[in-house]
């Protein structure tokens, strides 16, 4: 076996697996499985299967997930840069599938970076509802925001906040919560050798203390009758079954539901896990529920090690569900709310949907009104629809948010919503995330580039392109000159500006194609 597994880890696994230990250890002789998950915000599974340059094999527990063939390099293809799929480990797709997200749900992904599970949730929401994606690590939160933008998420808010602080602002608010908890990472040893180097015999106990606090905070934010999924990528019973047993003992209004696809996974361990809770007595009925948790073992499935538990609130609590509309009622069409540290007053909106509401931070009333006017003019001229939600102006940055900015006061906000662009010197400059979340029929000018022609790669590298005017598809009555939505094989990838046969490239420098 090439991997040098810690001796203490192997001893723990021998005790846990008993007669299955040899099969488990043999799994480390196999290469990790590679896979992608189709982004149905941009492309259907059927179309992706037709267009894919690689052979794809379905992942049994995820209808949008597929194993890729040996030698495939999906991260080096233009479709990756257009956000048509997310490169994700197969087992990591299971927790969101068990969460049962529906369009219109309010969902919290509490430990979300780098964003794989958040993008999976967003696809299930189909941009209808609300997604909070939170992570405490500043650098990882940047990657989280970028991935949500790349994959065309319109209804997402990104926070960098402690769970308890979010719970203080949004008690009993969310329909669904995912707690993909920080863990000792034992299930990723085969995929990431750095996890082996970071592991010590004390790692499980260290993470277990953190996991208990995170899960308790999450429970405060779930609506009565709502659903939580707790997951880790570790084998440690202290971080898995024992966490769930302790949680159920403290929260008797929750129970464990048998997960979908349970026939594909192993049951939770109980007989050899009871000793993990040495300091308290867990009733037998709790341990019977813990058996309904699921383990994804690398010697039993085609994927890495994972654990998950579906926690259902039975709805018997008298907790009052927070309806955000009660605290922040929607503004009337054409009106808004000017917000700063000292006062608030109304300002004229741009005449979007009836739920539009405008908040200004770090801007005077005059600056806010000018920014809004420029933005409103751009929207009316370039988009086929008024963006839903609340228009939020942070300085010169303009967002469409599922919530008004006042709902997020006091929290560390990385992205308050769909980033639309900047107001500069009385004009509006559209942002890249506006483009990536649009469909071709929604923008006034569209240019289609083909992967086969090589133009798509040239665009992704930031090159200026020669483009004849008759290739620019325009709304009736719209001239070809101006901002153009660039689509790669029919899916949006960014903006360009066309004039006199030349397409100026607006693809951000930090996002550009760097492969040979």
């Amino acid at each position: 076996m090439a991997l040098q597994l810690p001796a203490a880890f192997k001893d723990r696994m021998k005790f846990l697996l008993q007669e299955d230990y040899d099969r488990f250890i043999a799994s480390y002789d196999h290469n990790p499985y590679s896979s992608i998950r189709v982004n149905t915000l941009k492309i259907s599974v059927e179309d992706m299967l037709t267009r894919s340059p690689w052979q794809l094999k379905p992942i049994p527990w995820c209808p949008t997930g597929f194993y890729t063939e040996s030698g495939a390099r999906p991260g080096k293809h233009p479709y990756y840069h257009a956000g048509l799929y997310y490169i994700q480990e197969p087992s990591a797709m299971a927790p969101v599938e068990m969460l049962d997200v529906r369009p219109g749900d309010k969902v919290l992904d509490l430990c979300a970076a780098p964003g794989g599970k958040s993008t999976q949730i967003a696809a299930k929401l189909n941009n209808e509802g609300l997604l909070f994606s939170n992570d405490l690590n500043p650098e990882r939160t940047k990657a989280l925001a970028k991935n949500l933008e790349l994959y065309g998420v319109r209804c997402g808010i990104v926070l960098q906040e402690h769970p308890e602080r979010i719970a203080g602002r949004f008690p009993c608010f969310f329909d669904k919560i995912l707690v993909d908890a920080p863990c000792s990472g034992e299930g990723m040893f085969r995929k990431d050798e750095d996890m082996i180097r970071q592991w010590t015999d004390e790692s499980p106990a260290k993470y277990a203390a953190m996991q208990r606090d995170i899960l308790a905070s999450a429970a405060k934010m779930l609506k009565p009758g709502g659903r939580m999924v707790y997951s880790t990528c570790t084998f440690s019973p202290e971080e898995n079954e024992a966490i769930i047993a302790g949680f159920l003992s403290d929260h008797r209004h929750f129970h464990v539901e048998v997960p979908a696809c349970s026939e594909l996974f192993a049951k939770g361990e109980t007989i050899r896990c009871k000793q993990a809770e040495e300091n308290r007595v867990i009733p037998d009925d709790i341990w019977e529920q813990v058996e309904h948790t699921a383990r994804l073992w690398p010697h039993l499935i085609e994927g890495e090690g994972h654990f998950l538990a579906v926690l259902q609130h039975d709805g018997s609590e008298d907790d009052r569900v927070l309806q955000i509309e009660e605290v922040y009622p929607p503004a009337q069409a054409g009106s808004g709310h000017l917000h700063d540290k000292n006062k608030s007053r109304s300002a004229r909106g741009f005449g979007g949907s009836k739920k539009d509401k405008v908040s200004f931070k770090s801007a005077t009333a005059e600056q806010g009104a000018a920014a809004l006017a420029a933005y409103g003019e751009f929207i009316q001229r370039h988009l086929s629809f008024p963006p839903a939600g609340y228009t939020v102006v942070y300085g010169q940055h303009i967002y469409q948010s599922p919530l008004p900015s006042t709902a997020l006061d006091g929290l560390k906000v990385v992205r308050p919503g769909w980033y639309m662009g900047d107001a500069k010197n009385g004009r509006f400059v559209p942002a890249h995330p506006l483009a990536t979340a649009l469909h071709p029929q929604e923008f006034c000018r569209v240019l289609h580039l083909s992967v086969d022609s090589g133009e798509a790669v040239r665009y992704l590298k930031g090159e200026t392109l020669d483009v004849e005017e008759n290739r620019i598809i325009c709304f009736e009555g719209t001239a070809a000159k101006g901002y153009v939505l660039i689509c790669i094989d029919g899916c949006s990838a960014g903006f360009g500006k066309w004039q006199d046969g030349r397409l100026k490239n607006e693809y951000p420098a930090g996002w550009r194609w760097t492969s040979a």
Side-chain angles (χ1 to χ4, degrees):
M1 184 174 61
L3 291 179
Q4 297 299 311
L5 298 172
F9 168 73
K10 291 193 288 186
D11 289 342
R12 291 164 61 90
M13 298 310 296
K14 284 180 183 177
F15 173 78
L16 188 61
L17 285 167
Q18 303 284 312
E19 64 275 6
D20 269 0
Y21 174 74
D22 289 340
R23 291 178 64 197
F24 169 76
I25 287 296
S27 72
Y28 286 89
D29 293 330
H30 301 287
N31 291 327
Y33 293 91
S34 299
S35 57
I36 62 172
R37 180 176 40 76
V38 178
N39 178 17
T40 53
L41 290 176
K42 291 203 166 191
I43 188 173
S44 69
V45 169
E46 294 75 19
D47 284 348
M48 189 67 228
L49 290 173
T50 300
R51 299 184 193 184
S52 174
W54 322 283
Q55 291 292 322
L56 299 177
K57 172 186 169 184
I59 295 172
W61 50 87
C62 180
T64 57
F66 296 87
Y67 298 101
T68 54
E69 61 187 315
S70 177
R73 303 175 69 194
K76 304 296 184 182
H77 195 280
Y79 288 168
Y80 171 79
H81 293 270
L84 270 60
Y85 50 80
Y86 192 95
I87 300 171
Q88 189 174 26
E89 194 278 318
S91 297
M93 301 178 193
V96 172
E97 294 301 320
M98 305 305 116
L99 195 57
D100 191 30
V101 173
R102 308 291 179 87
D105 280 346
K106 298 182 180 74
V107 186
L108 170 63
D109 185 357
L110 197 51
C111 311
K117 294 178 177 67
S118 276
T119 58
Q120 190 175 359
I121 292 169
K124 290 183 175 296
L125 287 173
N126 197 28
N127 280 323
E128 298 176 30
L130 168 66
L131 170 61
F132 269 42
S133 300
N134 178 73
D135 203 275
L136 267 175
N137 186 297
E139 289 304 312
R140 285 170 58 82
T141 305
K142 290 179 183 177
L144 167 61
K146 181 178 178 180
N147 279 326
L148 289 170
E149 291 169 349
L150 174 61
Y151 289 90
V153 178
R154 299 183 184 182
C155 63
I157 291 172
V158 180
L159 301 179
Q160 183 193 320
E161 195 53 90
H162 291 275
E164 189 64 23
R165 283 179 52 79
I166 305 174
R169 296 301 303 275
F170 294 96
C172 305
F173 179 69
F174 295 98
D175 301 292
K176 311 283 170 61
I177 298 177
L178 176 65
V179 181
D180 187 44
C183 68
S184 56
E186 296 168 353
M188 293 293 111
F189 283 179
R190 180 171 64 173
K191 189 173 185 291
D192 185 355
E193 292 189 44
D194 282 341
M195 302 300 294
I196 299 176
R197 289 186 281 271
Q198 295 169 17
W199 188 91
T200 70
D201 198 21
E202 291 76 35
S203 293
K206 178 185 76 172
Y207 281 102
M210 187 188 312
Q211 292 155 356
R212 280 191 288 269
D213 290 342
I214 293 172
L215 193 55
S217 294
K220 297 175 183 178
M221 293 183 268
L222 190 68
K223 286 182 179 180
R227 170 174 289 203
M228 285 200 303
V229 169
Y230 173 85
S231 64
T232 72
C233 57
T234 195
F235 302 120
S236 154
E238 296 95 325
E239 302 175 70
N240 294 331
E241 289 88 353
I243 291 293
I244 300 304
F247 175 81
L248 293 174
S249 295
D250 295 335
H251 300 79
R252 298 294 286 191
H253 51 287
F254 279 85
H255 65 274
V256 178
E257 290 236 328
V258 177
C261 302
S262 60
E263 71 280 1
L264 301 173
F265 310 138
K267 291 183 178 180
E269 297 286 345
T270 55
I271 295 175
R272 290 183 286 272
C273 291
K274 289 184 181 181
Q275 68 175 36
E277 285 290 275
E278 298 173 349
N279 299 325
R280 63 189 298 183
V281 176
I282 304 294
D284 287 342
D285 68 307
I286 296 291
W287 285 114
E288 290 173 6
Q289 288 196 57
V290 173
E291 287 188 5
H292 297 318
T293 61
R295 279 182 173 259
L296 284 68
W297 291 105
H299 61 288
L300 299 179
I301 62 163
E302 295 181 345
E304 304 308 304
H306 252 68
F307 170 87
L308 63 88
V310 179
L311 299 167
Q312 186 71 35
H313 194 301
D314 63 21
S316 64
E317 288 279 280
D318 290 330
D319 294 330
R320 180 176 176 275
V321 176
L322 173 63
Q323 297 293 343
I324 202 69
E325 293 81 4
E326 297 174 9
V327 184
Y328 309 101
Q332 296 298 315
S335 66
H337 178 253
L338 175 62
H339 176 77
D340 61 26
K341 293 180 180 178
N342 303 310
K343 57 187 177 179
S344 63
R345 49 185 167 163
S346 56
R348 185 70 179 170
F350 74 92
S353 68
K354 291 184 179 180
K355 290 188 177 181
D356 291 333
K357 187 173 180 181
V358 185
S359 297
F360 302 92
K361 283 183 175 288
S362 304
T364 66
E366 292 75 19
Q367 289 170 331
L372 195 61
Y375 171 60
E377 182 183 0
F378 183 92
I379 293 300
Q380 291 173 358
R381 290 177 54 192
H382 292 79
L383 298 190
S384 65
F385 66 101
Y390 298 81
T391 305
V392 178
V393 182
Y394 282 76
Q396 66 182 21
H397 306 305
I398 300 178
Y399 302 83
Q400 286 296 136
S401 177
L403 297 177
S405 63
T406 45
L408 303 174
D409 279 349
L411 298 176
K412 294 181 181 177
V413 181
V414 178
R415 290 285 189 276
W418 183 13
Y419 182 26
M420 308 300 279
D422 297 339
K424 298 179 179 178
N425 301 320
R427 64 189 183 92
F428 176 75
V429 179
H432 185 64
L434 170 57
T436 55
L438 289 173
H439 299 288
Q441 67 274 18
E442 294 176 329
F443 200 75
C444 66
R445 302 180 194 90
V446 176
L447 173 64
H448 291 283
L449 303 180
S450 169
V451 168
D452 295 335
S453 71
E455 281 186 322
V457 171
R458 291 180 58 202
Y459 170 75
L460 294 171
K461 288 182 176 181
E463 296 180 16
T464 298
L465 301 179
D466 293 323
V467 176
E468 295 179 1
E469 183 175 354
N470 61 9
R471 292 183 59 192
I472 308 297
I473 302 171
C474 303
F475 286 172
E476 185 176 354
T478 299
K481 179 182 176 181
Y483 282 102
V484 179
L485 182 67
I486 309 301
C487 294
I488 295 175
D489 286 350
C491 299
S492 61
F495 282 128
K497 286 184 78 174
W498 186 90
Q499 182 176 357
D500 298 331
R502 301 278 284 178
L503 185 80
K504 179 184 175 183
N505 201 310
E506 297 289 321
Y507 198 73
W511 293 50
R512 288 178 185 168
W513 180 289
T514 57
S515 303

